[in-house]
Amino acid sequence: MGLFRGFVFLLVLCLLHQSNTSFIKLNNNGFEDIVIVIDPSVPEDEKIIEQIEDMVTTASTYLFEATEKRFFFKNVSILIPENWKENPQYKRPKHENHKHADVIVAPPTLPGRDEPYTKQFTECGEKGEYIHFTPDLLLGKKQNEYGPPGKLFVHEWAHLRWGVFDEYNEDQPFYRAKSKKIEATRCSAGISGRNRVYKCQGGSCLSRACRIDSTTKLYGKDCQFFPDKVQTEKASIMFMQSIDSVVEFCNEKTHNQEAPSLQNIKCNFRSTWEVISNSEDFKNTIPMVTPPPPPVFSLLKISQRIVCLVLDKSGSMGGKDRLNRMNQAAKHFLLQTVENGSWVGMVHFDSTATIVNKLIQIKSSDERNTLMAGLPTYPLGGTSICSGIKYAFQVIGELHSQLDGSEVLLLTDGEDNTASSCIDEVKQSGAIVHFIALGRAADEAVIEMSKITGGSHFYVSDEAQNNGLIDAFGALTSGNTDLSQKSLQVGTWAYNLQAKANPETLTITVTSRAANSSVPPITVNAKMNKDVNSFPSPMIVYAEILQGYVPVLGANVTAFIESQNGHTEVLELLDNGAGADSFKNDGVYSRYFTAYTENGRYSLKVRAHGGANTARLKLRPPLNRAAYIPGWVVNGEIEANPPRPEIDEDTQTTLEDFSRTASGGAFVVSQVPSLPLPDQYPPSQITDLDATVHEDKIILTWTAPGDNFDVGKVQRYIIRISASILDLRDSFDDALQVNTTDLSPKEANSKESFAFKPENISEENATHIFIAIKSIDKSNLTSKVSNIAQVTLFIPQANPDDIDPTPTPTPTPTPDKSHNSGVNISTLVLSVIGSVVIVNFILSTTI
């Protein structure tokens, strides 16, 4: 007898919304096949559809002019929820569903906060995941605060398509300019306005001058920049696209490199137009000579799910217990995964195909049991994949004359040199093909079918001692079902098992649904950054943990990457804003993967666990969002907009225990040499260089990179300083080097600290000292230059019209009468993009 006790890992399996699953393509300067999805939780309102069309149409003209007549929006599909009423204009979708959404219309992430944003967690110049708009914003209820929807769409499109970032910064709204003045973070610097405090309480509002923070020497946290309503500056769309005069992106001439904007931080001080101009879109187009046509819209309404299982029962399925494993996984799909109301059929194939079950609508366990009784019982014959697919089309066609949006779930273990003969038929069908490859001999033609139809594909090895097939089948939930209706675990489970044989392999899967439809469940989604890769290029694993749209922090997240020979590499994923992880505490956990063992297919699985009092929700607005406009300066007076709800970003909600498992599908690696692999991986770039001060020293802190990106330990660090940010960025090796003899590197992902005195800066007119780091590994491979920290050699001057002479109060220190008192006669202000501190050099004088 074997007794098992413990927690059950939930197998909630869904693919992360990937940028590479988008259907968007650029054709003759026009963006085609954009998918805009209205979330099922949005109350029915046909005006939303009208406003989406108006927004995209206006945005197309604005984008065309902003990109110097290069780009416009050609055609767009709007996906309408199943629970909205029928309309003769609505067609059945083909491949379009929530998983492929480029724009999502859904309630705000946080109540009352309607700012549009783009889910973006990769590096500068890389595509984002999706754009999020709220219904109220589309309906024009927030136009004063965020500007016209058409201009907003172009702002967010630049995030999504070209991987640029915002040119404002709510965490650092002001900075010290070379002019020795306090300036608002913006681009271009020529945008005019006033810095004021505007507070409303009890129906009355008060405007007053800003106060200087005694610590930062900048304006206090309650001070805001109010732009002038009438402007002449044309840039930038990534700052405040709502300004009437703004019609351009900041370029090399107009870009504000001094401002601590996220664009400067993430894109190495390049302007947004420089990043866009370096994109493949830009390189593959030339300006148009005539205006573009208006966008064409397709209205698509989600309907009941139709899926046909196409199962391989050829002779090769008799080996390695494949047929039995397939049937176990198919039973799980039929019992637990496929949703009530769905239509399900089944086809078997070997060298020919057989229709086992015509479409049956799932209403109860009776229909599920009927389908399970039809699973294959013995393997025999050859492999004809196209026969199975064509019979599936026949099954589906008996219910609907068109195959649009129907799904074919194909499992096979063999290659078929005739499979490519039906690729065109599959492409034209409108059906979605999901492919599960069992064993090594998966057919490339079927993988291509899956990609071109927007389906998912999985690789499951014979060597793996896990429930990979169940994982793959379990991942194939409907792309359009409300999340609350999908199979999910609720709570913690304890269980006992009585084994009937010794030894016996047992697989446990417990599923349920959300206990309350108004409380979104916790989900884990996983992906690799590429589907196809070649050595020595690294790959990145991503896992996103959300409750609704709110990130979950503090979870323990582990990735399992399995090769086709069954070798498994285990990686701890981190949300620390270092190495492969672009943003700290955004709920996306990341890590580099370089431990290739062979050529061929690899599969990804991610497990996440949140223990009691460790995992938590952080209520903060999403990154990469359009700027909220507090108001305008009109004829010298502030005309304020309605204040947005304040959020205490320190407020966190602790979650109960949870466990989740997510499949990230399969990827292929080629050109892997024989083991052991040569060392071709440098340390990862340091991206979180930060600073504090103690007495007369600058103390730098950062997260340690590794010998191979974020694994191992580097050999040494090189720290250099310069009075020119561009010289340090572009000619790092020529800058003045800091003595780091006493700096001994730590293991990757540890916190590093180093103190030094700023000396030997010779430029007489220097206003800043810039600091950066490179890392060297044992093979003398060198990292990229880190983010750049800066020391400001002056106390900035405030505009007299902006300030209140009353300083922000600070605690008065108790004098130490055992020593001579000091008089501060020289101040060095230290600022790092990401933090602000003050350095005071004290010269003592006797009183």
Side-chain angles (χ1 to χ4, degrees):
M1 179 179 72
L3 181 64
F4 300 83
R5 288 186 180 272
F7 299 122
V8 176
F9 283 100
L10 167 66
L11 299 176
V12 180
L13 301 151
C14 43
L15 293 175
L16 187 68
H17 185 289
Q18 306 172 45
S19 57
N20 58 13
T21 64
S22 173
F23 294 130
I24 296 174
K25 56 180 178 287
L26 182 62
N27 183 13
N28 293 327
N29 298 80
F31 290 110
E32 298 180 334
D33 300 333
I34 301 166
V35 177
I36 300 179
V37 173
I38 301 174
D39 191 88
S41 62
V42 174
E44 183 167 0
D45 187 343
E46 290 187 359
K47 289 183 180 179
I48 292 176
I49 300 173
E50 296 173 7
Q51 292 302 313
I52 290 173
E53 293 179 346
D54 288 346
M55 174 184 74
V56 176
T57 301
T58 304
S60 184
T61 302
Y62 187 60
L63 179 69
F64 182 69
E65 297 298 333
T67 58
E68 299 179 353
K69 305 184 186 307
R70 280 185 181 268
F71 306 116
F72 68 98
F73 299 121
K74 186 176 287 187
N75 62 62
V76 177
S77 295
I78 302 175
L79 201 57
I80 297 161
E82 184 178 2
N83 56 2
W84 286 29
K85 64 186 178 184
E86 295 292 341
N87 187 309
Q89 298 181 24
Y90 301 162
K91 307 299 181 184
R92 184 178 173 88
K94 293 184 178 180
H95 311 143
E96 302 87 354
N97 60 39
H98 276 68
K99 293 181 181 179
H100 304 286
D102 303 300
V103 180
I104 296 174
V105 180
T109 301
L110 301 174
R113 297 291 294 253
D114 286 88
E115 53 257 84
Y117 68 90
T118 300
K119 190 68 177 182
Q120 189 177 10
F121 51 75
T122 51
E123 292 302 317
C124 179
E126 297 183 12
K127 293 180 175 66
E129 304 299 304
Y130 60 83
I131 297 168
H132 182 286
F133 286 124
T134 68
D136 280 356
L137 187 138
L138 288 174
L139 292 171
K141 298 178 182 179
K142 303 293 179 179
Q143 185 159 320
N144 287 340
E145 295 94 320
Y146 297 104
K151 295 180 112 180
L152 279 172
F153 188 38
V154 173
H155 175 102
E156 299 304 330
W157 183 264
H159 281 306
L160 180 74
R161 185 68 185 181
W162 299 308
V164 299
F165 294 89
D166 290 319
E167 289 173 326
Y168 72 96
N169 189 337
E170 289 190 358
D171 293 330
Q172 295 182 73
F174 301 100
Y175 68 98
R176 301 157 191 79
K178 289 182 179 179
S179 63
K180 299 186 178 181
K181 293 182 179 179
I182 300 174
E183 293 285 358
T185 300
R186 65 198 189 279
C187 191
S188 66
I191 291 177
S192 60
R194 296 188 66 186
N195 303 308
R196 302 291 288 177
V197 175
Y198 193 89
K199 293 288 186 181
C200 295
Q201 187 174 7
S204 61
C205 297
L206 175 67
S207 171
R208 65 168 175 82
C210 300
R211 293 175 180 171
I212 299 295
D213 185 284
S214 60
T215 302
T216 67
K217 305 303 181 187
L218 297 172
Y219 298 135
K221 290 184 178 180
D222 54 357
C223 186
Q224 298 181 88
F225 176 71
F226 291 82
D228 289 331
K229 184 66 175 176
V230 178
Q231 303 269 355
T232 59
E233 290 292 319
K234 294 183 177 182
S236 168
I237 290 170
M238 299 312 293
F239 172 58
M240 279 190 179
Q241 73 293 323
S242 53
I243 295 173
D244 291 342
S245 65
V246 168
V247 292
E248 298 175 355
F249 294 97
C250 263
N251 57 33
E252 199 168 3
K253 293 181 179 179
T254 59
H255 182 55
N256 182 2
Q257 290 183 330
E258 295 183 61
S261 65
L262 202 56
Q263 173 67 20
N264 278 333
I265 296 168
K266 301 299 293 183
C267 296
N268 208 11
F269 301 93
R270 290 181 295 158
S271 68
T272 53
W273 187 243
E274 287 176 89
V275 175
I276 294 169
S277 300
N278 195 46
S279 67
E280 289 301 313
D281 289 346
F282 196 93
K283 293 175 183 177
N284 294 328
T285 56
I286 59 174
M288 298 174 63
V289 295
T290 59
V296 176
F297 297 93
S298 299
L299 304 183
L300 309 175
K301 187 173 184 295
I302 297 166
S303 55
Q304 293 170 330
R305 188 182 190 189
I306 301 172
V307 58
C308 185
L309 277 64
V310 180
L311 305 178
D312 187 349
K313 70 173 194 68
S314 62
S316 58
M317 289 292 290
K320 301 183 180 180
D321 200 31
R322 287 176 175 173
L323 191 73
N324 181 50
R325 290 163 60 203
M326 178 185 72
N327 285 346
Q328 285 182 333
K331 287 178 181 178
H332 172 77
F333 177 80
L334 294 170
L335 280 174
Q336 304 290 347
T337 304
V338 70
E339 301 83 4
N340 280 337
S342 301
W343 292 83
V344 182
M346 188 183 300
V347 169
H348 298 172
F349 72 94
D350 42 50
S351 54
T352 60
T354 304
I355 297 174
V356 179
N357 294 104
K358 295 184 177 182
L359 290 177
I360 302 172
Q361 188 173 28
I362 304 294
K363 297 179 180 178
S364 67
S365 59
D366 292 341
E367 293 80 19
R368 298 177 188 271
N369 291 329
T370 298
L371 289 161
M372 285 194 297
L375 293 171
T377 56
Y378 61 91
L380 183 67
T383 303
S384 177
I385 292 172
C386 284
S387 295
I389 291 174
K390 289 179 179 180
Y391 272 59
F393 288 171
Q394 181 179 330
V395 169
I396 296 167
E398 292 182 2
L399 181 67
H400 281 281
S401 58
Q402 292 184 328
L403 304 181
D404 293 355
S406 60
E407 300 170 67
V408 173
L409 199 169
L410 170 66
L411 183 145
T412 182
D413 72 338
E415 291 185 277
D416 175 6
N417 57 16
T418 67
S420 60
S421 65
C422 59
I423 286 182
D424 288 341
E425 183 177 352
V426 168
K427 185 177 181 179
Q428 298 300 322
S429 69
I432 300 167
V433 176
H434 304 296
F435 176 40
I436 301 174
L438 179 54
R440 300 185 186 182
D443 198 283
E444 292 297 328
V446 187
I447 295 175
E448 181 65 18
M449 292 180 197
S450 175
K451 289 181 178 179
I452 63 177
T453 63
S456 302
H457 66 275
F458 304 87
Y459 162 74
V460 181
S461 73
D462 289 314
E463 289 78 8
Q465 297 298 312
N466 60 32
N467 50 355
L469 271 179
I470 292 178
D471 293 351
F473 271 95
L476 295 172
T477 56
S478 169
N480 293 318
T481 300
D482 191 319
L483 194 59
S484 66
Q485 300 304 311
K486 292 188 178 183
S487 294
L488 297 168
Q489 178 190 16
V490 179
T492 301
W493 296 75
Y495 55 92
N496 295 296
L497 297 176
Q498 177 70 49
K500 296 182 179 178
N502 189 18
E504 184 174 16
T505 301
L506 300 170
T507 297
I508 308 297
T509 303
V510 177
T511 57
S512 182
R513 283 181 167 77
N516 187 337
S517 61
S518 64
V519 179
I522 296 171
T523 58
V524 178
N525 308 310
K527 77 164 186 174
M528 303 297 295
N529 66 324
K530 304 175 186 176
D531 288 334
V532 179
N533 192 37
S534 59
F535 181 87
S537 179
M539 296 193 70
I540 300 176
V541 190
Y542 295 111
E544 184 178 31
I545 309 179
L546 300 172
Q547 184 171 38
Y549 290 100
V550 180
V552 175
L553 311 183
N556 296 314
V557 185
T558 307
F560 302 85
I561 300 177
E562 180 188 20
S563 71
Q564 60 188 17
N565 273 333
H567 174 81
T568 300
E569 183 74 15
V570 180
L571 292 173
E572 179 188 6
L573 306 187
L574 303 173
D575 187 14
N576 62 351
D581 193 65
S582 296
F583 297 97
K584 185 176 181 178
N585 290 340
D586 65 345
V588 178
Y589 299 71
S590 317
R591 202 72 184 268
Y592 283 108
F593 171 64
T594 59
Y596 308 119
T597 56
E598 59 182 300
N599 291 307
R601 291 184 180 84
Y602 292 72
S603 61
L604 168 67
K605 177 190 284 188
V606 169
R607 286 179 180 164
H609 177 257
N613 301 319
T614 58
R616 61 200 187 278
L617 293 176
K618 188 171 180 67
L619 301 179
R620 58 169 295 174
L623 296 170
N624 310 313
R625 60 189 186 270
Y628 161 79
I629 307 160
W632 302 96
V633 178
V634 180
N635 297 323
E637 299 295 328
I638 291 177
E639 293 184 359
N641 286 323
R644 59 182 173 176
E646 294 297 325
I647 295 175
D648 183 357
E649 296 190 14
D650 294 327
T651 301
Q652 299 184 5
T653 302
T654 302
L655 301 172
E656 298 179 358
D657 282 3
F658 70 87
S659 295
R660 300 287 188 271
T661 301
S663 171
F667 60 97
V668 178
V669 180
S670 61
Q671 301 181 24
V672 178
S674 300
L675 299 179
L677 298 177
D679 185 1
Q680 299 193 29
Y681 300 114
S684 58
Q685 180 188 25
I686 294 168
T687 57
D688 62 346
L689 180 62
D690 206 345
T692 55
V693 156
H694 181 68
E695 296 178 348
D696 61 345
K697 293 182 179 179
I698 298 171
I699 301 175
L700 302 178
T701 61
W702 66 93
T703 302
D707 179 78
N708 293 330
F709 291 111
D710 53 9
V711 176
K713 183 168 66 175
V714 303
Q715 193 79 5
R716 59 192 174 94
Y717 294 111
I718 298 175
I719 301 176
R720 294 184 183 272
I721 61 177
S722 174
S724 167
I725 193 170
L726 294 183
D727 287 350
L728 193 60
R729 182 191 72 177
D730 300 333
S731 304
F732 176 86
D733 294 336
D734 297 331
L736 181 66
Q737 185 167 350
V738 174
N739 186 344
T740 56
T741 304
D742 298 332
L743 178 54
S744 179
K746 298 178 181 179
E747 287 290 327
N749 299 303
S750 303
K751 292 305 293 185
E752 296 275 26
S753 179
F754 179 71
F756 73 98
K757 293 183 179 180
E759 299 173 344
N760 300 324
I761 292 293
S762 58
E763 287 86 343
E764 293 182 2
N765 297 321
T767 58
H768 297 73
I769 299 173
F770 299 98
I771 312 160
I773 305 178
K774 276 187 177 181
S775 311
I776 315 293
D777 72 6
K778 63 180 183 293
S779 300
N780 212 34
L781 298 175
T782 306
S783 72
K784 296 179 181 179
V785 178
S786 72
N787 66 300
I788 297 176
Q790 56 181 304
V791 176
T792 308
L793 304 178
F794 58 87
I795 296 178
Q797 301 172 1
N799 185 329
D801 293 336
D802 289 340
I803 60 168
D804 185 328
T806 306
T808 301
T810 55
T812 302
T814 302
D816 185 350
K817 296 184 179 180
S818 64
H819 296 84
N820 292 334
S821 62
V823 179
N824 182 0
I825 64 170
S826 176
T827 301
L828 184 69
V829 180
L830 174 71
S831 72
V832 176
I833 295 178
S835 69
V836 178
V837 296
I838 302 296
V839 182
N840 294 314
F841 288 100
I842 308 297
L843 297 183
S844 62
T845 180
T846 302
I847 295 179

